[in-house]
Amino acid sequence: MPTLTDQAKALLNLELTADQEALFARFHALLVEWNARMNLTAILAPEEVQVKHFLDSLTVADAVELHRGMRVVDVGTGAGFPGVPLQIVYPGIHVTLMDATGKKIQFLEHVIQSLGLANARAVKARAEDAGRFPEHRHVYDLALGRAVARLPILLEYLLPLVKVGGYCVAMKGRTAVDEVNDSAHALSVLGGEVEDIESFQLPGIEETHHLIIVRKTALTPSAYPRASGMPAQKPL
Ligand code: SAH
Protein backbone atom coordinates (compact mmCIF):
# COMPACT_ATOMS: atom_id res chain seq x y z
CA MET A 1 0.00 0.00 0.00
CA PRO A 2 1.41 3.44 -0.92
CA THR A 3 2.08 5.80 1.97
CA LEU A 4 0.17 9.05 2.50
CA THR A 5 3.41 10.80 1.54
CA ASP A 6 3.39 8.97 -1.83
CA GLN A 7 -0.28 9.75 -2.44
CA ALA A 8 -0.04 13.43 -1.43
CA LYS A 9 2.91 13.83 -3.78
CA ALA A 10 1.19 12.07 -6.69
CA LEU A 11 -2.24 13.73 -6.38
CA LEU A 12 -1.42 17.15 -4.95
CA ASN A 13 2.32 17.60 -5.50
CA LEU A 14 2.54 18.08 -1.74
CA GLU A 15 5.73 17.05 0.12
CA LEU A 16 5.11 15.60 3.58
CA THR A 17 7.98 15.25 6.04
CA ALA A 18 8.69 12.07 8.01
CA ASP A 19 7.55 13.92 11.16
CA GLN A 20 4.23 14.79 9.53
CA GLU A 21 3.72 11.19 8.36
CA ALA A 22 4.31 10.13 12.00
CA LEU A 23 1.71 12.64 13.23
CA PHE A 24 -0.85 11.15 10.83
CA ALA A 25 -0.08 7.67 12.23
CA ARG A 26 -0.58 8.99 15.77
CA PHE A 27 -3.86 10.66 14.76
CA HIS A 28 -5.06 7.40 13.20
CA ALA A 29 -4.21 5.51 16.41
CA LEU A 30 -6.20 8.03 18.48
CA LEU A 31 -9.20 7.72 16.12
CA VAL A 32 -9.20 3.93 16.57
CA GLU A 33 -8.69 4.16 20.34
CA TRP A 34 -11.43 6.75 20.98
CA ASN A 35 -13.83 5.26 18.47
CA ALA A 36 -14.20 2.28 20.80
CA ARG A 37 -15.79 4.66 23.32
CA MET A 38 -17.65 7.14 21.10
CA ASN A 39 -18.92 7.24 17.56
CA LEU A 40 -16.34 9.33 15.71
CA THR A 41 -16.20 7.75 12.27
CA ALA A 42 -17.42 4.69 10.37
CA ILE A 43 -14.14 4.66 8.46
CA LEU A 44 -11.31 3.00 10.40
CA ALA A 45 -9.38 0.65 8.06
CA PRO A 46 -5.90 2.12 7.51
CA GLU A 47 -6.10 2.41 3.71
CA GLU A 48 -9.57 4.00 3.92
CA VAL A 49 -8.66 6.48 6.64
CA GLN A 50 -5.60 7.43 4.60
CA VAL A 51 -7.55 8.20 1.42
CA LYS A 52 -11.07 9.16 2.53
CA HIS A 53 -10.06 11.22 5.56
CA PHE A 54 -6.42 12.31 5.27
CA LEU A 55 -5.81 12.69 1.53
CA ASP A 56 -9.33 14.05 0.92
CA SER A 57 -8.79 16.72 3.59
CA LEU A 58 -5.48 17.75 2.01
CA THR A 59 -7.14 18.52 -1.35
CA VAL A 60 -8.16 21.85 0.20
CA ALA A 61 -4.49 22.91 0.02
CA ASP A 62 -4.63 22.47 -3.75
CA ALA A 63 -7.68 24.72 -4.09
CA VAL A 64 -6.61 27.68 -1.94
CA GLU A 65 -3.24 29.02 -0.85
CA LEU A 66 -2.53 28.37 2.83
CA HIS A 67 -0.06 30.86 4.24
CA ARG A 68 1.52 31.40 7.66
CA GLY A 69 -0.69 33.27 10.13
CA MET A 70 -3.88 32.64 8.16
CA ARG A 71 -7.02 32.06 10.27
CA VAL A 72 -8.99 28.98 9.22
CA VAL A 73 -12.23 27.66 10.73
CA ASP A 74 -13.46 24.12 10.10
CA VAL A 75 -17.21 24.07 10.84
CA GLY A 76 -18.76 20.74 11.84
CA THR A 77 -15.28 19.26 11.97
CA GLY A 78 -16.45 16.04 13.70
CA ALA A 79 -13.34 13.94 14.30
CA GLY A 80 -11.22 16.72 12.77
CA PHE A 81 -11.79 16.71 9.01
CA PRO A 82 -10.51 18.55 7.07
CA GLY A 83 -8.97 20.77 9.79
CA VAL A 84 -6.55 18.43 11.56
CA PRO A 85 -4.76 17.09 8.43
CA LEU A 86 -4.34 20.66 7.14
CA GLN A 87 -2.93 21.80 10.50
CA ILE A 88 -0.45 18.90 10.48
CA VAL A 89 0.89 19.76 7.04
CA TYR A 90 0.66 23.56 7.49
CA PRO A 91 1.71 24.21 11.10
CA GLY A 92 1.85 27.98 10.45
CA ILE A 93 -1.89 28.39 9.88
CA HIS A 94 -4.25 28.91 12.85
CA VAL A 95 -7.02 26.32 12.70
CA THR A 96 -10.21 26.60 14.76
CA LEU A 97 -11.95 23.20 14.91
CA MET A 98 -15.63 23.94 15.56
CA ASP A 99 -18.35 21.43 16.38
CA ALA A 100 -21.66 21.47 18.24
CA THR A 101 -20.97 18.15 19.99
CA GLY A 102 -19.02 18.29 23.26
CA LYS A 103 -17.62 14.76 22.95
CA LYS A 104 -16.04 15.54 19.58
CA ILE A 105 -14.46 18.65 21.11
CA GLN A 106 -13.06 16.55 23.98
CA PHE A 107 -11.50 14.18 21.47
CA LEU A 108 -10.06 17.08 19.45
CA GLU A 109 -8.58 18.72 22.54
CA HIS A 110 -6.81 15.45 23.23
CA VAL A 111 -5.59 15.25 19.60
CA ILE A 112 -4.28 18.83 19.71
CA GLN A 113 -2.36 18.12 22.90
CA SER A 114 -1.10 14.70 21.90
CA LEU A 115 0.10 15.83 18.44
CA GLY A 116 1.46 19.14 19.75
CA LEU A 117 -0.61 21.23 17.33
CA ALA A 118 0.34 24.59 18.84
CA ASN A 119 -1.77 26.71 16.48
CA ALA A 120 -4.98 24.67 16.66
CA ARG A 121 -7.90 25.10 19.05
CA ALA A 122 -11.18 23.23 19.47
CA VAL A 123 -14.37 25.23 20.06
CA LYS A 124 -17.73 23.77 21.08
CA ALA A 125 -20.33 25.89 19.30
CA ARG A 126 -23.13 25.76 16.80
CA ALA A 127 -22.15 27.71 13.70
CA GLU A 128 -25.34 29.81 13.95
CA ASP A 129 -24.30 31.01 17.41
CA ALA A 130 -20.61 31.50 16.55
CA GLY A 131 -21.63 33.60 13.56
CA ARG A 132 -23.14 36.16 15.92
CA PHE A 133 -20.20 36.36 18.34
CA PRO A 134 -17.67 39.16 17.64
CA GLU A 135 -14.91 36.64 18.39
CA HIS A 136 -15.91 34.61 15.32
CA ARG A 137 -17.88 36.94 13.00
CA HIS A 138 -16.08 38.32 9.93
CA VAL A 139 -12.67 37.31 11.30
CA TYR A 140 -11.55 34.21 9.37
CA ASP A 141 -9.58 34.14 6.12
CA LEU A 142 -10.99 30.72 5.23
CA ALA A 143 -13.98 28.65 6.38
CA LEU A 144 -14.28 24.95 5.54
CA GLY A 145 -17.06 22.39 5.73
CA ARG A 146 -17.23 18.72 4.79
CA ALA A 147 -20.32 16.52 5.17
CA VAL A 148 -22.17 19.07 7.32
CA ALA A 149 -25.18 20.28 5.29
CA ARG A 150 -26.38 21.06 1.78
CA LEU A 151 -24.71 24.12 0.31
CA PRO A 152 -27.44 26.77 0.92
CA ILE A 153 -27.41 25.79 4.62
CA LEU A 154 -23.64 25.41 4.84
CA LEU A 155 -23.17 28.89 3.36
CA GLU A 156 -25.27 30.39 6.16
CA TYR A 157 -22.93 28.63 8.63
CA LEU A 158 -19.67 29.59 6.88
CA LEU A 159 -20.01 32.99 5.20
CA PRO A 160 -20.77 35.06 8.37
CA LEU A 161 -17.46 33.83 9.85
CA VAL A 162 -15.34 35.04 6.91
CA LYS A 163 -13.76 38.45 6.26
CA VAL A 164 -14.61 40.26 3.04
CA GLY A 165 -12.00 39.04 0.56
CA GLY A 166 -11.70 35.67 2.33
CA TYR A 167 -12.94 32.29 1.12
CA CYS A 168 -15.21 29.38 1.95
CA VAL A 169 -14.50 25.91 0.64
CA ALA A 170 -17.32 23.34 0.65
CA MET A 171 -16.24 19.74 0.10
CA LYS A 172 -18.84 17.86 -1.90
CA GLY A 173 -19.49 14.69 -3.88
CA ARG A 174 -21.58 14.15 -6.96
CA THR A 175 -24.25 16.70 -6.01
CA ALA A 176 -21.84 19.67 -6.10
CA VAL A 177 -23.17 21.35 -9.24
CA ASP A 178 -26.83 20.88 -8.24
CA GLU A 179 -26.08 22.38 -4.83
CA VAL A 180 -24.40 25.40 -6.44
CA ASN A 181 -27.46 25.86 -8.65
CA ASP A 182 -29.67 25.84 -5.55
CA SER A 183 -27.50 28.44 -3.78
CA ALA A 184 -27.95 31.59 -5.89
CA HIS A 185 -30.24 33.22 -3.33
CA ALA A 186 -28.08 32.26 -0.32
CA LEU A 187 -24.98 33.62 -2.05
CA SER A 188 -26.53 36.97 -2.90
CA VAL A 189 -28.08 37.44 0.56
CA LEU A 190 -24.97 36.38 2.53
CA GLY A 191 -22.37 38.11 0.34
CA GLY A 192 -20.58 35.38 -1.61
CA GLU A 193 -19.72 34.40 -5.18
CA VAL A 194 -18.70 30.98 -6.48
CA GLU A 195 -15.25 31.50 -7.92
CA ASP A 196 -14.41 27.96 -8.99
CA ILE A 197 -15.22 24.27 -8.60
CA GLU A 198 -12.20 21.95 -8.43
CA SER A 199 -12.54 18.23 -9.04
CA PHE A 200 -10.43 15.40 -7.63
CA GLN A 201 -10.26 11.71 -8.34
CA LEU A 202 -8.97 10.06 -5.16
CA PRO A 203 -7.10 6.76 -5.67
CA GLY A 204 -9.46 3.76 -5.54
CA ILE A 205 -12.58 5.94 -5.21
CA GLU A 206 -15.11 6.00 -8.00
CA GLU A 207 -17.02 9.14 -7.03
CA THR A 208 -15.43 12.42 -8.09
CA HIS A 209 -14.90 14.82 -5.20
CA HIS A 210 -15.50 18.54 -5.71
CA LEU A 211 -14.36 21.60 -3.85
CA ILE A 212 -16.69 24.56 -4.24
CA ILE A 213 -14.65 27.72 -3.76
CA VAL A 214 -16.68 30.75 -2.68
CA ARG A 215 -15.25 34.24 -2.33
CA LYS A 216 -16.71 36.53 0.32
CA THR A 217 -17.57 39.68 -1.58
CA ALA A 218 -19.63 41.73 0.90
CA LEU A 219 -20.30 41.89 4.64
CA THR A 220 -23.09 39.55 5.74
CA PRO A 221 -26.18 41.49 6.94
CA SER A 222 -26.70 41.33 10.72
CA ALA A 223 -29.89 39.23 10.32
CA TYR A 224 -27.65 36.24 9.37
CA PRO A 225 -27.00 33.63 10.49
CA ARG A 226 -30.57 33.16 11.66
CA ALA A 227 -31.34 31.51 15.04
CA SER A 228 -30.00 28.03 15.71
CA GLY A 229 -31.80 25.42 13.61
CA MET A 230 -33.40 27.92 11.21
CA PRO A 231 -30.86 27.60 8.38
CA ALA A 232 -31.57 23.85 8.19
CA GLN A 233 -35.37 24.19 8.71
CA LYS A 234 -35.86 26.94 6.14
CA PRO A 235 -32.82 27.01 3.85
CA LEU A 236 -32.25 30.30 2.04
N1 SAH B 1 -16.49 17.28 8.83
C1 SAH B 1 -16.40 15.94 9.41
C2 SAH B 1 -17.65 15.55 10.20
C3 SAH B 1 -18.93 15.47 9.42
S1 SAH B 1 -20.30 14.96 10.42
C4 SAH B 1 -16.09 14.93 8.32
O1 SAH B 1 -16.23 15.24 7.16
O2 SAH B 1 -15.70 13.80 8.65
C5 SAH B 1 -21.10 16.53 10.74
C6 SAH B 1 -20.60 17.22 11.99
O3 SAH B 1 -21.12 18.55 11.97
C7 SAH B 1 -21.07 16.58 13.29
O4 SAH B 1 -19.95 16.35 14.12
C8 SAH B 1 -22.04 17.60 13.89
O5 SAH B 1 -21.95 17.65 15.31
C9 SAH B 1 -21.56 18.90 13.26
N2 SAH B 1 -22.59 19.93 13.06
C10 SAH B 1 -23.76 19.79 12.40
N3 SAH B 1 -24.44 20.96 12.36
C11 SAH B 1 -23.67 21.87 13.02
C12 SAH B 1 -23.82 23.26 13.34
N4 SAH B 1 -24.91 23.93 12.99
N5 SAH B 1 -22.83 23.87 14.03
C13 SAH B 1 -21.72 23.18 14.42
N6 SAH B 1 -21.53 21.87 14.15
C14 SAH B 1 -22.49 21.22 13.47
Side-chain angles (χ1 to χ4, degrees), residues 5 28 33-34 48 75 77 94 111 117 143 154 158 176 197 209:
T5 301
H28 182 210
E33 186 192 321
W34 283 60
E48 276 195 286
V75 173
T77 186
H94 292 257
V111 167
L117 302 176
L154 185 63
L158 299 185
I197 302 178
H209 286 210

Side-chain angles (χ1 to χ4, degrees), residues 140-168:
Y140 293 96
D141 300 294
L142 176 65
L144 308 171
R146 185 182 86 155
V148 179
R150 275 181 61 82
L151 192 62
I153 302 164
L154 185 63
L155 288 169
E156 192 168 351
Y157 296 161
L158 299 185
L159 275 168
L161 304 172
V162 177
K163 294 174 187 166
V164 174
Y167 286 89
C168 302

Side-chain angles (χ1 to χ4, degrees), residues 54-137:
F54 297 166
L55 190 63
D56 189 44
S57 294
L58 293 178
T59 60
V60 171
D62 204 67
V64 286
E65 207 183 314
L66 298 175
H67 50 80
R68 181 165 289 280
M70 188 172 184
R71 298 193 66 184
V72 180
V73 61
D74 179 11
V75 173
T77 186
F81 304 109
V84 170
L86 292 167
Q87 183 71 87
I88 290 172
V89 178
Y90 295 87
I93 64 175
H94 292 257
V95 177
T96 296
L97 303 163
M98 185 180 288
D99 203 281
T101 307
K103 282 186 175 175
K104 306 238 168 107
I105 296 303
Q106 266 177 22
F107 169 70
L108 292 169
E109 280 169 349
H110 183 76
V111 167
I112 289 168
Q113 197 185 32
S114 172
L115 272 57
L117 302 176
N119 284 330
R121 62 172 175 169
V123 171
K124 179 187 180 303
R126 288 193 62 92
E128 301 95 309
D129 298 328
R132 294 177 165 273
F133 298 151
E135 187 195 348
H136 295 292
R137 185 177 176 86

Side-chain angles (χ1 to χ4, degrees), residues 137-202:
R137 185 177 176 86
H138 289 143
V139 299
Y140 293 96
D141 300 294
L142 176 65
L144 308 171
R146 185 182 86 155
V148 179
R150 275 181 61 82
L151 192 62
I153 302 164
L154 185 63
L155 288 169
E156 192 168 351
Y157 296 161
L158 299 185
L159 275 168
L161 304 172
V162 177
K163 294 174 187 166
V164 174
Y167 286 89
C168 302
V169 175
M171 307 179 72
K172 293 288 178 183
R174 61 174 64 81
T175 60
V177 172
D178 288 342
E179 293 191 39
V180 168
N181 290 335
D182 289 344
S183 297
H185 179 62
L187 287 162
S188 80
V189 166
L190 299 165
E193 279 175 22
V194 174
E195 196 171 89
D196 203 0
I197 302 178
E198 281 217 24
S199 304
F200 292 90
Q201 212 60 53
L202 298 177

Side-chain angles (χ1 to χ4, degrees), residues 1-9 12 14-33 44-59 61 79-91 107 111 114-117:
M1 164 178 153
T3 63
L4 180 62
T5 301
D6 298 334
Q7 291 180 325
K9 177 72 186 160
L12 307 167
L14 199 60
E15 306 271 0
L16 304 197
T17 66
D19 285 351
Q20 289 168 349
E21 180 86 51
L23 290 176
F24 279 104
R26 176 92 192 111
F27 184 28
H28 182 210
L30 291 173
L31 274 171
V32 172
E33 186 192 321
L44 282 175
E47 56 276 14
E48 276 195 286
V49 170
Q50 187 173 308
V51 173
K52 294 184 182 170
H53 282 332
F54 297 166
L55 190 63
D56 189 44
S57 294
L58 293 178
T59 60
F81 304 109
V84 170
L86 292 167
Q87 183 71 87
I88 290 172
V89 178
Y90 295 87
F107 169 70
V111 167
S114 172
L115 272 57
L117 302 176

